[in-house]
Amino acid sequence: MNYNQKIIELTNVDKTYALGNQELKALKEVNISVESGDFMVVAGPSGSGKSTLLNLISLIDVPTSGEVHFCGENIKNFCDNRITALRSEKIGIVFQQYNLIPVLSAIENVAFPLQIQKKSKKESFEKAEAILEEVGLKNYIHQRPNNLSGGQQQRVAIARAMVTEPEVIIADEPTSALDSKTGQEIVELMKYFNRSKHMSFLFSTHDPKIINTVDKVIHMEDGYIMN
Amino acid sequence: MNYLKLALRNIARHKKRSIVTIMTIALGFTALGVIGGIVNNIFSRLKEQAIIGEKLGHLTLAKKGYFEYGKMNPEEYVWGAEDLNKILSIINKNPEVTISTPRLSLFGVVSNGKSSTIFITEAIVPQDDKKLVITDVDGRSGSLQTVSLDTEGKDRAVVAIGSELSENLNIKKGENLTLLVSTIDGITNAVDVEVGHIYNTGNPATNDKFILSNFYMAQELYDTKGAERIIVTIKDPENIYKVKEQLIQDLNVAGYEVSSKVWSEVSLTYSKVKKMFGIIFRVLTIIITVIVLLTLLNTMQMSVAERTREIGTLRAIGLIKRRIIYLFCLEGLIMGILGCAIAVPILLLITFILKSLKVSFIPPVASTEVPIELIIKMKSVLPVLLLFCLASLVSSFIASRKITGQNVVKSLITIN
Ligand SMILES: Nc1ncnc2c1ncn2[C@@H]1O[C@H](COP(=O)(O)OP(=O)(O)OP(=O)(O)O)[C@@H](O)[C@H]1O
Ligand SMILES: [Mg+2]
């Protein structure tokens, strides 16, 4: 893997939401890039635009103006199916509410992204099992999400994001639904993968304790990146 | 990914709702199966009534133009004795033909000595008719109670009359009647006949004027040695149109211009009743299919609404829209097929119960009782199955398309 290679780059990005007949500028003149190996936090008060920014970087939303480059390619002209395929192969997403598929067991949830990529059942499940072991859920692989605690579910979600070996994992407030200790553990897990697999992470949080443990912090306020 | 497994688990996730949906589909399928089965039964009984009861056989052959103009000048459409024999021998050469029998129909005035009324008579060859009444119709043979004439020569002057005619003339079995007709040359002729049978013709329009008479007696009365029609039955009714064309062609080659009609075209009631029931069945099919469609649409819409965030997640982690729509369509289709599958044993049970109960009823435009049975045919069940599957797919597609198409972020922030 190349170090310090730009994975995602946002240039002069604005994002405007329509609120009735009013317009709300959630992002203003944003320039940011995520490089391979990064471990970055997006911090800022509520409503400052953290989620909006992460949605654009995850390629699940598009900017009102400005440009998004993914591995050097402008995604502006990509069709929906192509962007979806890009997400499937290059981006892992972890959600605040874990968002596991309730009818699938832990291992099936983790294997799912590989099966979307039409990998064989055997390969998918072997990889899923290995990574679940790594996140410490060896004994829970056949449990459905509703039998798992919040922290365990978020571990499954991280395993699901990791399993395709994406370029970057993006997580919007992955710890805010968890108690502070469990939240810390999740951050430790992400750090572990960042170190051991050189996986890039970009996530947002409100928690000052977490912010203090991370080197690269992006401060947001009122739609602007402050640093 | 094993979409089938995923779909089945999602169906199982909301057991109550899925069961209600599947049972609604099963009920709709059963209802259409029962109605279709009854309609098929009525069609089949009407067919039997036409072929055997109305004594139409499978095919009627006559001189060309008879079916259009025969009623106005019947004498022009009577074959002479020589022609009749030749024609019969040509018909009998066809290996498909099982019975070929000449017919005459006359009309005139019938009198009991005190009062009189009009009559029509169909003159049959009793020996041939004995064979006709046991013709196989849809796998049944001799199940229709119908009247025939005695075959003995001495009983030539014995007739069977419609039950209402007997009431109108106040005549009982064994009593005598006088028939008055014009001969082929227009001379008035009369004959005394004995009432050997009184029976219901199965058709209110003819029951008060119909007389079944002996062909040879009718020939004498009409002063002819010929006949105006030939009734034919064949081995395999599936070939009816092929045989019809073949006979017309064979007779043409021999110099006889004939036209021919199959029983359903000649029968007074069959086509009309069939059309009526066909329309009823189609309307009910549409109504029930719409109910099934709306039920499924409701279920799928609830399911899609509940799973909006899940849909957003699937999109976010890389599943394309088409696949998600496919997943919902699969869920709908499975419920549709399950519903139909559950209906099959129910339908068989109802068929069995009706058969063992031996209930019967009098269908409209007929005056004889018909047993209520279900005749379940692949031909009528399969289209319903396909229609229901289509309804499942359409409703799932409609329900899932919109949300699948919406912005992923919007789906993800939906709170269920
Ligand atoms: N779909 C939307 N429609 C309209 N306005 C929106 C939408 N999403 C976000 N906003 C607005 O955009 C601004 C930025 O929102 P965003 O969710 O990015 O903030 P945030 O930093 O993630 O806040 P929080 O810490 O509360 O999650 C806010 O003022 C918010 O109200
Ligand atoms: Mg947010």
Side-chain angles (χ1 to χ4, degrees), chain A residues 55 60-61 80-81 84 87-88 93 95 97 99 101-105 108 112-113 115-116 144 160, chain B residues 1 5-6 9-10 13 309-310 313-323 407-409 412:
Chain A
N55 289 342
I60 55 175
D61 208 354
D80 188 73
N81 282 356
T84 306
R87 283 199 302 268
S88 163
I93 305 178
F95 305 90
Q97 294 296 335
N99 290 16
I101 308 303
V103 296
L104 298 181
S105 66
E108 287 168 335
F112 198 89
Q115 296 193 294
I116 290 177
R144 294 231 183 143
R160 177 175 68 180
Chain B
M1 178 59 201
K5 196 163 77 183
L6 196 55
R9 286 197 198 165
N10 277 317
R13 186 165 152 205
R309 202 148 63 96
E310 189 180 316
T313 306
L314 291 171
R315 301 262 298 111
I317 66 172
L319 205 59
I320 57 171
K321 288 176 195 173
R322 224 178 26 233
R323 289 274 147 194
N407 181 287
V408 177
V409 175
L412 280 170

Side-chain angles (χ1 to χ4, degrees), chain B residues 33-322:
Chain B
V34 168
I35 297 162
I38 289 175
V39 167
N40 281 340
N41 180 42
I42 291 174
F43 287 173
S44 178
R45 302 290 171 169
L46 286 170
K47 184 174 171 185
E48 195 175 21
Q49 178 62 34
I51 291 172
I52 295 170
E54 292 179 47
K55 300 193 183 295
L56 296 174
H58 290 132
L59 285 171
T60 300
L61 286 112
K63 267 192 187 174
K64 201 177 177 106
Y66 167 82
F67 293 108
E68 291 81 21
Y69 314 111
K71 289 280 176 296
M72 282 178 281
N73 17 7
E75 66 285 349
E76 281 187 22
Y77 293 94
V78 174
W79 283 306
E82 202 180 321
D83 288 343
L84 180 64
N85 287 335
K86 265 193 200 153
I87 290 168
L88 281 172
S89 76
I90 291 168
I91 291 171
N92 288 333
K93 271 193 198 119
N94 191 310
E96 275 284 327
V97 171
T98 47
I99 304 169
S100 64
T101 180
R103 292 281 173 82
L104 264 178
S105 66
L106 306 176
F107 59 91
V109 174
V110 55
S111 167
N112 62 1
K114 291 194 193 86
S115 59
S116 52
T117 180
I118 55 162
F119 78 91
I120 48 172
T121 182
E122 177 77 357
I124 61 168
V125 177
Q127 293 90 328
D128 295 337
D129 196 59
K130 280 274 183 309
K131 283 192 270 174
L132 178 66
V133 296
I134 54 166
T135 300
D136 183 300
V137 176
D138 292 344
R140 292 185 308 269
S141 173
S143 73
L144 184 76
Q145 289 300 313
T146 188
V147 79
S148 194
L149 295 177
D150 298 315
T151 48
E152 308 293 321
K154 66 177 164 61
D155 292 320
R156 263 189 202 183
V158 174
V159 295
I161 70 173
S163 49
E164 226 182 298
L165 180 62
S166 84
E167 276 164 38
N168 291 349
L169 289 175
N170 193 22
I171 208 96
K172 285 179 199 60
K173 197 174 161 178
E175 294 181 344
N176 287 310
L177 286 172
T178 307
L179 306 182
L180 254 104
V181 301
S182 298
T183 65
I184 193 162
D185 303 317
I187 299 157
T188 305
N189 199 0
V191 67
D192 278 341
V193 293
E194 186 192 317
V195 176
H197 304 272
I198 295 168
Y199 78 114
N200 191 329
T201 61
N203 181 345
T206 58
N207 202 23
D208 64 345
K209 47 178 104 46
F210 190 75
I211 295 178
L212 193 66
S213 61
N214 186 305
F215 178 74
Y216 304 108
M217 181 210 79
Q219 273 186 327
E220 267 175 39
L221 188 60
Y222 198 47
D223 194 20
T224 178
K225 293 263 184 275
E228 62 174 11
R229 273 169 295 129
I230 294 168
I231 298 294
V232 169
T233 63
I234 62 174
K235 276 182 197 143
D236 183 1
E238 292 284 314
N239 298 335
I240 195 159
Y241 288 97
K242 229 171 68 195
V243 176
K244 175 182 153 174
E245 290 313 313
Q246 188 62 51
L247 290 177
I248 290 173
Q249 202 191 323
D250 291 349
L251 289 167
N252 253 331
V253 170
Y256 295 104
E257 292 239 304
V258 299
S259 53
S260 173
K261 282 190 174 184
V262 301
W263 59 270
S264 56
E265 295 170 306
V266 188
S267 171
L268 294 172
T269 51
Y270 183 81
S271 309
K272 273 184 216 155
V273 178
K274 180 160 178 161
K275 209 169 165 183
M276 181 180 79
F277 279 107
I279 290 169
I280 292 173
F281 184 65
R282 249 164 271 153
V283 169
L284 285 171
T285 305
I286 291 168
I287 292 171
I288 291 174
T289 307
V290 168
I291 292 173
V292 164
L293 190 117
L294 292 179
T295 306
L296 266 156
L297 188 62
N298 183 49
T299 302
M300 295 313 291
Q301 262 168 350
M302 279 204 269
S303 180
V304 165
E306 274 169 14
R307 281 153 62 192
T308 303
R309 202 148 63 96
E310 189 180 316
I311 293 169
T313 306
L314 291 171
R315 301 262 298 111
I317 66 172
L319 205 59
I320 57 171
K321 288 176 195 173
R322 224 178 26 233

Side-chain angles (χ1 to χ4, degrees), chain A residues 17-19 24 26 44-53 172-173 206, chain B residues 413:
Chain A
Y17 292 113
L19 274 177
L24 193 144
S46 189
S48 58
K50 302 185 294 294
S51 298
T52 307
L53 177 67
D172 189 10
E173 314 224 17
H206 276 115
Chain B
I413 58 173

